[in-house]
Amino acid sequence: MDRQPTKRILRPDNALHTGFWKTYRDILIELASNAWLIHQLIKRDMSSYRQSLLGIYWTIVIPFLSIFLILSLQSSNLFLIGNLRHPYALFAVTGLMFWQLFSTGVISATESLINARELVLKINISRKAVVIASLGKAAIGFSIQFALLVLLFLFYKIPPTPYILLIPFMIIPICLLTLSIGLVLSLLNCIIRDIGMGLSFLITVFLFLTPVLYVKPTGGWLSAISHYNPVYYLIELPRELILTGRTSNGLGYAVSIGVTLVLFVETLRFFHLSENRIAEKI
Amino acid sequence: MPDDFAIQLDHVSKKYCTSLRRSMLYSLQDITRNMMGRPSLCESLRRDEFWSLQDISLQIKKGEMAGVIGPNGSGKTTLLKLLDGIFWPDTGEVRTEGAISALISAGAGFHPILTGRENIYLNGAILGLSKGEMEKRFDQIVDFSGLNRFLDMPVKYYSTGMSIRLGLAIAMHCEPDILLVDEVLSVGDQVFRNQCIKRISQLNSQGTTVVFVSHNLDLIQMLCQKTYLLNEGRLEFCGETSAALQHYSLLMAQMRECHHPASLSGRCDLTQTFSNDVDVLDIRVINEKGEPAHEITEREDITVVYEILFKRAVNEPRFSASIGTQTTDNIIWHTNLQRNLQFGTVGPGHYELTVTFKSPALVPGIYKVVLGIYESSTGENMVNYRLKYAQFKVAGTVPLRGIVACPSEWRLAKK
């Protein structure tokens, strides 16, 4: 039992009496000592696929369906993808791979604390570990879509650029953004259930507002929105690198990473300050 | 904190909110205040809030086994959750020293599709065991649970008893410095329960501090040196277990009185009878001088006067006069027919029936006297005896169990 510190003092608004840097030290210690727990929780989440035929491969169904849908919309001139130098499937799967890491991550993180209600209510379990572990599903979905992408490259006989090897690093910013949003929403969802209820709708709307399945238009309101959308940059730059090896908007990417880092640091503190109030409300 | 205390509570209070909507609002308010670096409004009661625990101060020494008792809703589980760190106090301070493990719910976090073996690892991790610690203890846990044959079966096919056994087995092997035990031991069969209690005592003798919440007063009496009595969120008594149990039975007796407003005043508001033809106007217990008495001493005669109004002539009434406790209706039951006593036809009018129970061997406590009236010729049940009664008290120290009083002599000899 090395999870809990040997001496512990609980008092109201404990975190207010803790210094700024000590708060982050506490968070780091907590996360480090819960690595094994996170591993076990991810394993548990994965087990729910055991009783399904397609199992984790369900994650490929969605990209296939959306590609099919959009291609048929385009052929009837209902939907404009934009000018592409690559086959649409490659373009879409690369984008969707990152998008779904974000969207499924945010959705499962938001539900994570409520789904673990029994635990949070009865056992003093690290709630941060619960939220982080919920991203495991999204990460595994990502790796399966990555395998699909490799197959598509082979199919079209187009070689990806060497930048594809940088994928493990390229997913870090989008993971941090996902976790930041997930941390806040998971807590708020314990208090106000509307958040979980409205989320999948909002995420769908957001998908259409983010140029993932289409090329960013050169003008108009959609372009203006994308201009301030960090998710767009965090997806677009890796995609450009993998497909063409060139980047068209390095500044936007850098700013998005900066925004993500600030958000991550702040939301982590928010979660740490507020999580003790949650167990009784859940 | 002085080194010899494992747990110290200093003026600790915890409040809950009865309104779901308000509780949402209050949480948002508190979180916003905290984020702006201001204290939350936890020290005062807002609308719809109430104290679940109020101003609790206590210290539990290292290696002690402390009991916590109290009626339902007195705050026992809240106290354990505060000690465990699941809840944070709204005022005061909770200080603990050492790793804590709680037997608040066995098997919370079991995943139905995972096998028993996988769940042991998962649950161990949830309870705070590292991989290495788990590997060391795995065999002990399996032995303890006695479920070797079912280890590779998904837990969803386990019976309730089996999953609780597995859950307890894991929790029992965390070897914490402080072990919090809630009512969980009341499930499972006697053999397994004994096994658990043995394990708890063993941990305690190895230096683990144990806080034991239970309604099983026998267990508390046997295991705990010191016991805390909670009532309505306050610490009503703390001290030696036997004294705490005395306080508890007294408290329970008082609560039963409050529960029945008729109580010792001999009045009962419930006048429901089955028939309009008869009315029980009053039931009272009297002493030798004929004055109403609410308290008698052990083995004293109990004389009860029933005032009955017959509105029509009743042919061969059968009166049943009985004494009961709150939980058992008839521990003494007499009828006039038993005694071969027949009253013939009783004409309309106001009657007074007097029954004396000769030196009944009742243990101290609160009893009720009730009356039933049947018309023998028709078999009509005229008075609902359950709803019409008076109460009296046998003075003395209320024992934990038993309804018959008798003196006893004891001897222990080696053969």
Side-chain angles (χ1 to χ4, degrees), chain B residues 5-259:
Chain B
F5 288 120
I7 297 170
Q8 245 183 326
L9 265 65
D10 189 21
H11 299 287
V12 168
S13 303
K14 176 79 201 160
K15 61 186 177 181
Y16 289 135
C17 183
T18 53
S19 149
L20 196 61
R21 237 155 232 285
R22 287 232 162 71
S23 108
M24 282 162 52
L25 270 177
Y26 295 154
S27 323
L28 289 178
Q29 192 183 13
D30 286 343
I31 288 176
T32 319
R33 287 182 71 99
N34 273 184
M35 281 311 283
M36 297 191 308
R38 294 172 63 196
S40 56
L41 301 171
C42 53
E43 295 209 351
S44 55
L45 283 186
R46 287 166 282 192
R47 205 174 145 196
D48 283 338
E49 285 185 326
F50 69 95
W51 294 111
S52 160
L53 277 182
Q54 206 173 357
D55 203 22
I56 307 277
S57 297
L58 56 86
Q59 285 116 8
I60 297 174
K61 282 199 191 109
K62 281 183 185 160
E64 197 174 278
M65 174 107 74
V68 178
I69 54 177
N72 287 334
S74 56
K76 302 187 294 292
T77 301
T78 307
L79 179 67
L80 277 203
K81 286 188 170 178
L82 279 168
L83 294 180
D84 195 18
I86 299 175
F87 288 171
W88 284 49
D90 281 315
T91 70
E93 259 181 27
V94 180
R95 288 163 179 260
T96 50
E97 194 172 326
I100 302 173
S101 175
L103 292 183
I104 290 182
S105 77
F110 274 169
H111 195 286
I113 290 182
L114 293 177
T115 64
R117 183 188 305 277
E118 290 166 317
N119 264 311
I120 292 180
Y121 275 93
L122 170 65
N123 214 256
I126 287 172
L127 294 175
L129 288 181
S130 70
K131 191 180 176 190
E133 287 170 315
M134 180 41 95
E135 274 158 2
K136 250 187 285 165
R137 286 168 205 179
F138 187 83
D139 292 333
Q140 288 174 33
I141 292 175
V142 174
D143 279 349
F144 191 87
S145 72
L147 293 168
N148 311 45
R149 286 199 303 134
F150 305 102
L151 268 192
D152 293 306
M153 184 165 99
V155 164
K156 66 171 166 179
Y157 299 132
Y158 279 29
S159 70
T160 320
M162 282 160 77
S163 41
I164 287 168
R165 284 170 82 110
L166 191 61
L168 281 179
I170 300 166
M172 291 282 182
H173 287 83
C174 286
E175 297 182 13
D177 301 315
I178 301 173
L179 180 69
L180 310 173
V181 187
D182 203 348
E183 212 53 82
V184 280
L185 292 182
S186 52
V187 287
D189 56 38
Q190 189 65 48
V191 178
F192 187 68
R193 211 183 314 168
N194 286 343
Q195 205 180 324
C196 290
I197 291 161
K198 241 188 229 162
R199 172 76 187 160
I200 293 174
S201 317
Q202 187 197 344
L203 285 172
N204 183 235
S205 60
Q206 287 166 6
T208 302
T209 312
V210 181
V211 181
F212 201 96
V213 168
S214 187
H215 286 289
N216 188 336
L217 302 179
D218 287 336
L219 264 184
I220 295 268
Q221 190 159 39
M222 283 187 289
L223 292 175
C224 305
Q225 296 103 41
K226 210 171 165 188
T227 295
Y228 299 87
L229 170 61
L230 289 178
N231 184 32
E232 291 174 356
R234 288 173 183 277
L235 190 60
E236 185 117 344
F237 180 83
C238 100
E240 269 194 32
T241 299
S242 51
L245 292 180
Q246 277 295 331
H247 269 260
Y248 185 56
S249 20
L250 211 71
L251 182 72
M252 291 309 276
Q254 278 169 8
M255 282 179 57
R256 281 190 294 248
E257 278 173 41
C258 300
H259 215 70

Side-chain angles (χ1 to χ4, degrees), chain B residues 199-404:
Chain B
R199 172 76 187 160
I200 293 174
S201 317
Q202 187 197 344
L203 285 172
N204 183 235
S205 60
Q206 287 166 6
T208 302
T209 312
V210 181
V211 181
F212 201 96
V213 168
S214 187
H215 286 289
N216 188 336
L217 302 179
D218 287 336
L219 264 184
I220 295 268
Q221 190 159 39
M222 283 187 289
L223 292 175
C224 305
Q225 296 103 41
K226 210 171 165 188
T227 295
Y228 299 87
L229 170 61
L230 289 178
N231 184 32
E232 291 174 356
R234 288 173 183 277
L235 190 60
E236 185 117 344
F237 180 83
C238 100
E240 269 194 32
T241 299
S242 51
L245 292 180
Q246 277 295 331
H247 269 260
Y248 185 56
S249 20
L250 211 71
L251 182 72
M252 291 309 276
Q254 278 169 8
M255 282 179 57
R256 281 190 294 248
E257 278 173 41
C258 300
H259 215 70
H260 296 279
S263 79
L264 299 177
S265 67
R267 281 266 159 252
C268 185
D269 296 335
L270 300 162
T271 50
Q272 185 191 340
T273 51
F274 285 142
S275 159
N276 288 327
D277 299 335
V278 64
D279 212 352
V280 179
L281 300 175
D282 192 24
I283 302 179
R284 59 181 184 272
V285 179
I286 55 169
N287 62 16
E288 295 139 18
K289 292 173 200 153
E291 296 157 344
H294 307 312
E295 196 170 312
I296 61 161
T297 51
E298 227 175 286
R299 286 184 186 266
E300 194 185 341
D301 287 357
I302 300 167
T303 303
V304 186
V305 178
Y306 308 88
E307 283 190 37
I308 307 158
L309 181 70
F310 287 105
K311 294 172 190 167
R312 66 167 167 87
V314 175
N315 193 15
E316 287 297 343
R318 191 204 74 175
F319 298 101
S320 65
S322 55
I323 293 180
T325 62
Q326 292 303 330
T327 47
T328 318
D329 271 328
N330 302 316
I331 55 174
I332 297 175
W333 189 75
H334 289 292
T335 71
N336 52 314
L337 296 185
Q338 257 174 3
R339 321 238 354 128
N340 273 328
L341 203 68
Q342 304 213 331
F343 297 117
T345 302
V346 178
H350 190 164
Y351 292 82
E352 198 175 81
L353 172 70
T354 308
V355 181
T356 302
F357 298 90
K358 290 293 194 184
S359 56
L362 297 173
V363 296
I366 294 172
Y367 296 89
K368 55 182 181 181
V369 281
V370 288
L371 177 70
I373 305 173
Y374 279 86
E375 184 167 23
S376 294
S377 54
T378 59
E380 188 190 354
N381 184 355
M382 304 179 83
V383 171
N384 182 354
Y385 65 87
R386 280 166 204 276
L387 295 176
K388 189 86 188 175
Y389 60 82
Q391 286 187 323
F392 67 91
K393 185 174 180 179
V394 176
T397 312
V398 184
L400 284 180
R401 291 206 175 72
I403 46 176
V404 179

